[in-house]
Amino acid sequence: MKIVIADCLFHVVIIFTLFISRLPLSSSTTEPIQPLLTRLDSKRSSPLVQESAAKALLRRLLPTHFHSFGFKIVSKDVCGGQGCFLIENYSGSSQKGPEITIRGTTAVEIASGLHWYIKYFCGAHVSWDKTGGVQLASVPKPGLLPRVKDGGVLVQRPVPLNYYQNVVTSSYSYVWWDWERWEKEIDWMALQGINLPLAFTGQEAIWQKVFMGFNITMEDLNDFFGGPAFLAWARMGNLHG
């Protein structure tokens, strides 16, 4: 009974989280989750770490253009307190320097700005393998990248959280993935501006600690938790063991 009650409470929390992630952006709708957003902002990596992560993504996606883009983390004040990215022409004079500068409030915003630029200015396509894959042949060679309009292109995030994933995908697909495949998916998420993916991995370890606090034995828990390919359905209460 204790396990069932805890399982139900967990799903109430998940449903509420998904609900608020779909609300349109306004001061009234974001107010209930503002403490969460503030806490998340305080836990972010340093600007240097985030910029380095965005550059690493660029190297994996477009290694020939590694020096063609400059990335910079900026404050939300640049965007009126919201998340955003700003694409500008590089104003420096170095021949081997970047051609395009992308500033963003997080590394995800920078990656999203990179995708925006190569999609709408270069005609590139970045998708899953079964829906076209990565098509970058249309991106001009370094030194010939299209310039953006004077003043740059500013795109604000329409909602604070962009949710991604179906709860069963972790058992349909992810359970069989290695790091190389995970890295490819994480890059895709960043390029699409995803900042709220489901993170189920290791969830059972947390449940184990909580349930044992209710004097549920390890023997009972071993019979309750599902195997790797069935974790999603066990998490939803569709099966046990």
Side-chain angles (χ1 to χ4, degrees):
M1 177 61 70
K2 293 176 182 178
I3 291 179
V4 173
I5 293 175
D7 195 48
C8 290
L9 289 174
F10 167 77
H11 288 98
V12 169
V13 172
I14 286 292
I15 292 171
F16 176 73
T17 302
L18 299 184
F19 171 73
I20 61 176
S21 73
R22 285 165 166 77
L23 292 175
L25 182 62
S26 70
S27 58
S28 60
T29 55
T30 59
E31 184 177 353
I33 60 170
Q34 194 56 50
L36 171 62
L37 298 177
T38 302
R39 179 174 174 79
L40 289 175
D41 284 341
S42 70
K43 297 296 182 180
R44 295 191 191 282
S45 300
S46 69
L48 179 61
V49 170
Q50 293 191 67
E51 292 164 5
S52 298
K55 290 293 285 187
L57 186 158
L58 173 61
R59 185 186 292 277
R60 290 188 292 272
L61 180 69
L62 271 173
T64 55
H65 292 68
F66 182 74
H67 298 291
S68 299
F69 294 91
F71 296 153
K72 181 70 175 179
I73 294 291
V74 295
S75 168
K76 284 185 177 181
D77 295 338
V78 176
C79 313
Q82 302 177 26
C84 77
F85 61 79
L86 177 61
I87 307 172
E88 299 173 301
N89 301 313
Y90 181 67
S91 58
S93 58
S94 174
Q95 291 184 342
K96 293 186 178 180
E99 302 169 63
I100 298 295
T101 299
I102 302 176
R103 295 187 290 161
T105 50
T106 68
V108 170
E109 305 300 348
I110 290 176
S112 181
L114 173 64
H115 180 231
W116 179 283
Y117 177 81
I118 64 173
K119 178 179 181 178
Y120 292 108
F121 285 87
C122 303
H125 180 78
V126 180
S127 182
W128 292 315
D129 291 342
K130 290 188 177 181
T131 54
V134 178
Q135 302 174 24
L136 302 173
S138 62
V139 178
K141 294 180 180 180
L144 300 174
L145 290 178
R147 296 179 64 81
V148 301
K149 64 182 182 181
D150 293 340
V153 177
L154 174 66
V155 177
Q156 291 181 318
R157 177 175 287 276
V159 292
L161 301 173
N162 281 64
Y163 171 77
Y164 167 62
Q165 290 175 24
N166 185 311
V167 293
V168 297
T169 309
S170 58
S171 292
Y172 277 135
S173 304
Y174 300 160
V175 66
W176 315 114
W177 285 3
D178 56 13
W179 167 244
E180 181 179 0
R181 181 62 184 87
W182 263 114
E183 186 176 53
K184 184 176 182 180
E185 190 76 7
I186 294 170
D187 284 351
W188 178 89
M189 284 191 274
L191 290 165
Q192 304 297 331
I194 302 297
N195 62 358
L196 183 64
L198 284 178
F200 275 147
T201 304
Q203 178 173 292
E204 283 68 28
I206 298 174
W207 282 4
Q208 175 180 303
K209 293 180 180 180
V210 173
F211 291 157
M212 291 182 74
F214 285 95
N215 296 321
I216 299 174
T217 67
M218 228 14 254
E219 183 178 0
D220 288 336
L221 290 176
N222 288 336
D223 291 336
F224 173 72
F225 291 130
F230 302 95
L231 288 177
W233 293 276
R235 290 162 182 165
M236 291 186 287
N238 296 340
L239 59 84
H240 294 160

